[in-house]
């Protein structure tokens, strides 16, 4: 899902937030001073009907389970536990079928945007299992809960809640009926409201940007998102590498949520890392992935970084890339058997 990783809370803080959320729900969400101020501010800023905004917010039911979910993101798992969530036989088989179903459109989008078909398919596969699971929370509830009852990320989610009101106005999306993730991400590609407004594309030409039921819109929107975030057509994504002395390169490694490239291909070669041919000036991430028997290492190239713009996690980007590669290999195998 296009989302930022949640802040992991210590148990005492999380317990306090859950209690606060439940108490405020019983007092009436829309009557809170901070909620009323928000309704007034976004109405004045965007020409919204304040009474309508207040009426919508009066329907919000704060969700304590969302606060709890924010404390245990899947991306915090070690790689050997995270990878099996997404690299499954079912997800590969379903991705192959999804590719076959939309093969012509995927080929067209690959030519138009330069984003490989397997990346587009893998994003939809990782996010929602190719549209089978788009989320169970009312998006309005999710965004409002996080905007007002989750201080670590409240500014971000207040912006997204404002964007959701604008999305409802401009795209005729229902404020009260739309379901999504616990973070408020929506549709088959799990776009946050700001991403929906800024990057979604009318791929089927029907005058709407429908990220729930139009595969053409979904795939074109994901491709557009990648291009707008700097995808390099034809560029590599990641390479596995062997490190004789990992400790010598610890200073340039990307651990946790640190995703800024700290080195280059040339610098890694000078340090003795064996790499495929490539421009020495290319920025590079040196990423350790924790396996049960120790760490393995990968070099992430600029396109790998672009995948992390969809979800700010090296684990996420690697899962997308490896799932895409597995689906592409399955497609090649099927084509070879058919010829």
């Amino acid at each position: 899902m296009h989302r930022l990783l949640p802040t992991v809370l210590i148990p005492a803080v999380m317990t306090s937030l859950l209690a606060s959320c439940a108490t405020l729900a019983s007092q009436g969400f829309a009557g809170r001073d901070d909620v009323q101020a928000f309704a007034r501010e976004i109405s004045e800023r965007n020409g919204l009907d304040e009474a309508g905004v207040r009426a919508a917010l009066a329907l919000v039911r704060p969700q304590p389970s969302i606060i709890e979910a924010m404390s245990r993101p899947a991306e915090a798992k070690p790689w050997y536990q995270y990878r099996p969530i997404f690299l499954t036989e079912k997800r590969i088989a379903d991705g192959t079928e999804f590719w076959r179903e939309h093969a012509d459109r995927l080929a067209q989008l690959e030519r138009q945007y330069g984003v490989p078909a397997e990346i587009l398919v893998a994003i939809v596969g990782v996010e929602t299992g190719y549209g089978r699971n788009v989320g169970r929370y009312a998006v309005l509830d999710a965004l409002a809960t996080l905007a007002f009852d989750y201080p670590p990320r409240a500014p971000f989610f207040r912006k997204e809640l404002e964007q959701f009101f604008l999305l409802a106005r401009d795209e005729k999306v229902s404020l009260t009926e739309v379901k999504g993730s616990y973070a408020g991400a929506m549709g088959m590609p799990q776009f946050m409201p700001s991403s929906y407004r800024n990057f979604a594309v009318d791929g089927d030409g029907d005058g709407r940007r429908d990220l729930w039921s139009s595969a053409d819109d979904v795939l074109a929107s994901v491709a557009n998102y990648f291009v707008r975030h700097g995808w390099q057509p034809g560029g590599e994504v990641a390479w596995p590498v062997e490190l004789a002395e990992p400790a010598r390169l610890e200073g340039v490694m990307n651990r946790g949520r640190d995703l800024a490239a700290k080195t280059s291909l040339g610098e890694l070669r000078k340090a003795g890392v064996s790499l495929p041919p490539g421009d020495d000036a290319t920025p590079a991430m040196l990423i350790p992935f924790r396996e049960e028997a120790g760490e393995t290492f990968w070099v992430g190239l600029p396109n790998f970084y672009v995948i992390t713009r969809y979800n700010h996690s090296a684990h996420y980007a690697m899962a997308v890339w490896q799932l895409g590669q597995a689906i592409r290999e399955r497609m090649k195998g099927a084509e070879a058997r058919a010829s």
Side-chain angles (χ1 to χ4, degrees):
M1 112 192 145
H2 174 55
R3 57 200 181 274
L4 300 179
L5 286 180
T7 303
V8 177
L9 301 179
I10 60 175
V13 175
M14 188 185 79
T15 300
S16 175
L17 287 173
L18 291 171
S20 172
C21 188
T23 300
L24 291 168
S26 67
Q27 293 174 348
F29 186 82
R32 292 168 46 171
D33 290 343
D34 53 352
V35 175
Q36 291 184 18
F38 172 81
R40 182 171 58 254
E41 290 166 8
I42 71 166
S43 298
E44 292 175 353
R45 184 158 51 238
N46 300 291
L48 295 169
D49 174 53
E50 185 175 344
V53 172
R54 289 178 182 274
L57 291 171
L59 300 175
V60 168
R61 298 177 60 189
Q63 302 291 323
S65 61
I66 288 176
I67 304 299
E68 184 180 357
M70 292 294 280
S71 72
R72 44 181 174 78
E75 288 81 2
K77 296 177 183 290
W79 174 242
Y80 70 88
Q81 293 178 354
Y82 183 86
R83 184 180 186 274
I85 298 173
F86 301 104
L87 272 292
T88 65
E89 170 57 30
K90 177 172 175 52
R91 214 173 292 245
I92 294 167
D94 288 350
T96 304
E97 182 59 32
F98 183 83
W99 190 334
R100 288 197 190 101
E101 183 180 352
H102 303 288
D104 291 343
R105 184 61 172 143
L106 284 162
Q108 181 185 41
L109 290 170
E110 188 166 345
R111 291 191 299 269
Q112 179 181 352
Y113 289 95
V115 182
E118 65 265 27
I119 296 293
L120 303 181
V121 172
I123 286 286
V124 180
V126 167
E127 291 295 341
T128 60
Y130 313 101
R132 290 183 175 85
N133 178 20
V134 298
R136 63 184 180 88
Y137 288 99
V139 170
L140 185 63
D141 286 353
L143 293 174
T145 296
L146 295 168
F148 296 102
D149 293 336
Y150 187 63
R153 300 291 305 284
F156 171 77
F157 284 105
R158 288 193 189 195
K159 290 178 182 177
E160 291 299 331
L161 181 57
E162 179 177 0
Q163 291 292 309
F164 186 49
F165 274 98
L166 298 178
L167 181 68
R169 179 191 67 185
D170 298 340
E171 301 284 338
K172 304 299 184 289
V173 171
S174 171
L175 278 170
T176 57
E177 295 179 7
V178 172
K179 294 293 199 298
S181 74
Y182 67 79
M186 297 173 287
M188 290 174 64
Q190 294 288 275
F191 273 23
M192 294 298 287
S194 61
S195 292
Y196 201 131
R197 295 192 71 227
N198 291 323
F199 305 116
V201 172
D202 176 14
D204 57 16
D206 68 352
R208 297 182 62 238
R209 301 186 296 175
D210 177 2
L211 298 188
W212 284 272
S213 57
S214 171
D216 284 349
D217 289 4
V218 168
L219 295 170
S221 296
V222 175
N224 184 55
Y225 185 95
F226 274 81
V227 169
R228 295 279 295 277
H229 284 80
W231 184 267
Q232 298 177 3
E236 298 281 353
V237 174
W239 297 325
V241 293
E242 299 286 340
L243 300 184
E245 298 180 65
R248 290 182 53 230
L249 291 166
E250 183 63 39
V252 297
M253 287 190 191
N254 294 91
R255 292 187 179 276
R257 296 188 63 188
D258 177 9
L259 298 173
K262 296 180 177 181
T263 186
S264 67
L265 296 184
E267 289 171 350
L268 290 175
R269 286 195 178 93
K270 288 179 183 178
V273 180
S274 178
L275 298 171
D279 185 349
D280 280 352
T282 301
M285 301 162 64
L286 183 58
I287 312 164
F289 289 88
R290 188 172 141 208
E291 306 285 0
E292 289 187 90
E295 289 186 323
T296 57
F297 302 92
W298 288 74
V299 170
L301 301 165
N303 280 346
F304 185 90
Y305 178 77
V306 172
I307 301 175
T308 70
R309 299 306 84 197
Y310 207 96
N311 181 328
H312 295 189
S313 161
H315 284 174
Y316 175 88
M318 184 58 72
V320 166
W321 186 69
Q322 290 192 359
L323 177 62
Q325 294 300 300
I327 295 170
R328 176 169 279 281
E329 288 304 309
R330 185 71 58 87
M331 287 289 291
K332 286 182 179 178
E335 292 169 357
R337 289 191 295 274
S339 62

